[in-house]
């Protein structure tokens, strides 16, 4: 346990921010400061007298923080405990800054408290043990600054009895759940300090880490030098002694000095430890009439039905292209009678390809006839066959050529070998059959699948 007469604690917190600063207010910071001070100064379990634990809530300037921190650092010869709760910000060089009420995110370096300044006060203190607790976003950067071999502060903070506890890693944000009394990290810290057994700083860290892990919150970080982790901040409560009520007097804003006038309280304080946050606005319940729900259900069912009809009965362009190309390959495998029409056979091959929708119709296949040199329509199977979907919005052209396999005679027609190529779009042939020629779409759904 620290020596109460030679120990000091300063609790710094920024919970309010001006409109346009780019930073949301954190009402839980006020409760963080008040309850942490109550735990540290509890007459039954705490380790510090009330007048040795100062709270700086919503300090107006970095200079105000510096005056209080320098006084605490100078007077502490046993324990110096420094806590900050609020927004942590990183400038364009990756350096950590602690937000103040007047901090502007567009001008961090000139409106926030640089962590380097706070660190230097810790280094200059004659305290035997220095404990730094940061509950802010990117607070792990403070630990990086104390451990990085490339940092200007490397080795300087590594003095006997230094313990740094950060609520998050260097690149993570801290959590302040909306409506909660405390921020996530400080709430877990208070719960561990108020537990039934006395915990060293190392045990305290383990307890906080387990608590946050169970709630899927960011994992805290720590930096320990020498034996600082063995320090115990509070004693376990005696179950036989009634606990006194928390002190209602406002915390001092400076150390007791009979020759100096006390500075005015910050705006956060309004006659008590902290001003209560503004009440939350009631939630507005949206009432939707039953008839509107029914209409929405019908609309949803209609959309689902339309989607099913479109995907289950209509050909996709890529699938139809694959089916036509597969039919062209099948044509070249089997000779055909020279006088047998091919429209129905090609349609059958497309239907058997298995590429079509489960309940779709066989595409239309039309023989776009060619004319000979005298302008007469050729009756050969050769020529262009136009394949279109039932909506006529997808078309492919199959160009078929024939070569004689066996000549015909009185009892048997000639047979020919077929070869085919496929191109996208309608066939370019000028002469087309009149109405009724060619293969129309099947009157029954395709059985391709």
């Amino acid at each position: 346990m620290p020596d109460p007469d030679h120990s000091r604690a300063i609790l710094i917190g920024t919970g309010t921010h001006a409109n346009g600063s780019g930073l949301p207010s954190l009402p839980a910071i006020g409760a963080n400061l008040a309850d942490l001070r109550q735990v540290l100064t509890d007459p039954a379990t705490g380790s510090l007298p009330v007048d040795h634990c100062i709270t700086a809530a919503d300090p107006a300037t970095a200079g105000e923080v510096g005056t209080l921190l320098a006084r605490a650092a100078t007077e502490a010869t046993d324990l110096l405990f420094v806590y900050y709760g609020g927004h942590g910000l990183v400038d364009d060089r990756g350096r950590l800054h602690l937000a103040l009420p007047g901090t502007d995110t567009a001008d961090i370096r000139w409106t926030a408290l640089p962590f380097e300044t706070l660190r230097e006060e810790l280094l200059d203190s004659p305290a035997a043990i220095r404990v730094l607790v940061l509950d802010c976003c990117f607070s792990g950067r403070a630990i990086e600054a104390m451990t990085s071999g490339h940092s200007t502060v490397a080795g300087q903070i590594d003095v006997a009895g230094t313990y740094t506890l950060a609520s998050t890693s260097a690149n993570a944000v801290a959590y302040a759940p909306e409506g909660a009394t405390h921020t996530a990290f400080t709430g877990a810290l208070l719960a561990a300090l108020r537990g039934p057994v006395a915990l060293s700083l190392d045990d305290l860290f383990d307890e906080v880490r387990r608590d946050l892990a169970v709630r899927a919150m960011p994992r805290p970080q720590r930096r320990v030098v020498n034996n600082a982790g063995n320090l115990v901040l509070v004693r376990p409560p005696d179950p036989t002694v009634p606990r006194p009520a928390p002190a209602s007097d406002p915390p001092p804003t400076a150390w007791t000095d009979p020759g100096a006038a006390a500075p005015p309280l910050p705006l956060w304080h309004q006659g008590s430890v902290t001003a209560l946050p503004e009440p939350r606005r009631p939630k507005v319940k949206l009432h939707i009439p039953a008839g509107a729900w029914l209409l929405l259900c019908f609309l949803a069912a209609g959309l689902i039905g339309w989607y099913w009809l479109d995907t289950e009965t209509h050909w996709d362009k890529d699938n139809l292209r694959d089916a036509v190309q597969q039919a062209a390959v099948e044509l070249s495998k089997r000779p055909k009678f020279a006088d047998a029409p091919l429209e129905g056979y090609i349609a059958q091959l497309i239907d058997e390809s298995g590429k079509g929708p489960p309940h779709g119709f066989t595409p239309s296949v039309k023989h776009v006839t060619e004319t000979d040199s005298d302008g007469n329509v050729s009756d050969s199977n050769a020529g262009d066959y136009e394949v279109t979907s039932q909506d006529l919005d997808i078309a492919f052209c199959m160009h078929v050529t024939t070569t004689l396999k066996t000549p015909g005679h009185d009892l048997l027609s000639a047979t020919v070998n077929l070869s085919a190529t496929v191109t996208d779009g309608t066939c370019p042939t000028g002469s087309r059959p009149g109405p009724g020629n060619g293969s129309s779409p099947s009157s029954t759904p395709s059985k391709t699948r």
Side-chain angles (χ1 to χ4, degrees):
M1 295 287 292
D3 181 351
D5 294 331
H6 298 90
S7 299
R8 300 291 187 272
I10 177 169
L11 313 179
I12 310 165
T14 302
T16 59
H17 294 277
N19 292 332
S21 66
L23 295 172
S25 294
L26 300 172
I29 296 298
N32 285 3
L33 300 180
D35 290 346
L36 185 56
R37 180 174 183 267
Q38 189 276 326
V39 168
L40 294 176
T41 62
D42 189 305
T45 60
S47 57
L48 296 173
V50 172
D51 57 351
H52 285 182
C53 183
I54 184 173
T55 299
D58 286 336
T61 64
E64 181 181 336
V65 177
T67 300
L68 300 177
L69 180 58
R71 185 71 176 275
T74 302
E75 294 183 355
T77 56
D78 184 41
L79 168 67
L80 174 61
F81 183 94
V82 179
Y83 167 92
Y84 173 82
H87 288 290
L89 305 171
V90 178
D91 64 15
D92 53 4
R93 295 186 180 180
R95 296 174 299 192
L96 178 64
H97 290 67
L98 309 179
L100 301 173
T103 296
D104 187 345
T105 55
D107 195 11
I108 296 174
R109 284 186 291 180
W110 296 103
T111 60
L113 173 64
F115 171 73
E116 291 289 304
T117 303
L118 186 148
R119 178 193 62 82
E120 290 172 359
E121 289 294 342
L122 288 175
L123 292 175
D124 294 340
S125 173
I129 299 177
R130 307 153 200 188
V131 178
L132 172 62
V133 180
L134 296 178
D135 186 1
C136 62
C137 300
F138 315 114
S139 54
R141 289 179 185 251
I143 293 179
E144 286 187 353
M146 296 175 179
T147 58
S148 173
H150 301 288
S151 172
T152 58
V153 303
Q156 297 179 21
I157 199 69
D158 290 344
V159 294
T162 302
Y163 199 99
T164 306
L165 183 57
S167 61
T168 69
S169 63
N171 299 307
V173 296
Y175 277 77
E178 184 179 357
T181 303
H182 306 102
T183 58
F185 171 77
T186 300
L189 180 65
L190 288 167
L193 288 171
R194 290 167 169 167
V197 297
L199 298 176
S200 67
L201 289 177
D202 284 335
D203 294 334
L204 189 67
F205 172 79
D206 292 336
E207 189 69 22
V208 171
R209 183 175 55 180
R210 281 192 294 268
D211 185 350
L212 295 175
V214 169
R215 294 184 286 155
M217 294 292 184
R219 305 295 175 89
Q221 309 290 314
R222 68 175 165 183
R223 166 72 171 162
V224 187
V225 178
N226 291 348
N227 297 322
N230 296 326
L231 177 70
V232 176
L233 290 176
V234 296
R235 294 183 292 273
D238 185 347
T240 63
V241 177
R243 300 294 301 275
S248 59
D249 58 309
T253 57
W255 306 115
T256 304
D257 186 351
L265 293 175
L267 294 179
W268 181 269
H269 297 280
Q270 298 179 0
S272 61
V273 174
T274 56
L276 294 176
E278 295 181 0
R280 298 177 61 186
R281 296 181 180 178
K283 295 182 179 180
V284 178
K285 294 184 179 180
L286 182 62
H287 176 70
I288 301 178
W293 281 113
L294 186 60
L295 179 60
L296 290 174
C297 291
F298 276 117
L299 288 175
L303 289 173
I304 294 173
W306 174 85
Y307 177 79
W308 179 90
L309 186 66
D310 184 69
T311 56
E312 297 290 308
T313 64
H314 288 71
W315 280 83
D316 175 80
K317 184 175 182 179
D318 292 336
N319 289 336
L320 183 55
R321 180 190 294 110
D322 293 344
V324 176
Q325 290 174 343
Q326 183 173 322
V329 173
E330 293 296 326
L331 279 178
S332 63
K333 293 181 179 180
R334 310 172 190 172
K336 296 289 293 182
F337 290 113
D339 57 353
L342 287 182
E343 293 96 324
Y345 183 58
I346 294 174
Q348 178 184 343
L349 291 177
I350 293 174
D351 193 43
E352 292 174 352
S353 69
K355 304 291 186 180
H359 305 287
F361 293 89
T362 303
S364 169
V365 180
K366 292 185 179 180
H367 187 191
V368 182
T369 57
E370 297 180 339
T371 57
D372 56 25
S373 58
D374 298 327
N376 298 319
V377 176
S378 172
D379 59 357
S380 169
N381 281 331
D384 291 339
Y385 290 80
E386 195 168 89
V387 182
T388 57
S389 63
Q390 69 257 37
D391 294 332
L392 304 180
D393 57 346
I394 306 174
F396 296 95
C397 184
M398 180 186 290
H399 183 74
V400 179
T401 59
T402 62
T403 56
L404 182 65
K405 178 177 176 63
T406 58
H409 49 77
D410 294 339
L411 298 179
L412 190 63
S413 299
T415 59
V416 293
N417 289 325
L418 306 173
S419 62
T421 58
V422 178
T423 58
D424 285 12
T426 58
C427 297
T429 306
S431 298
R432 296 174 182 270
N437 294 338
S439 171
S440 299
S442 172
S443 60
T444 59
S446 168
K447 300 177 181 178
T448 56
R449 294 182 189 175

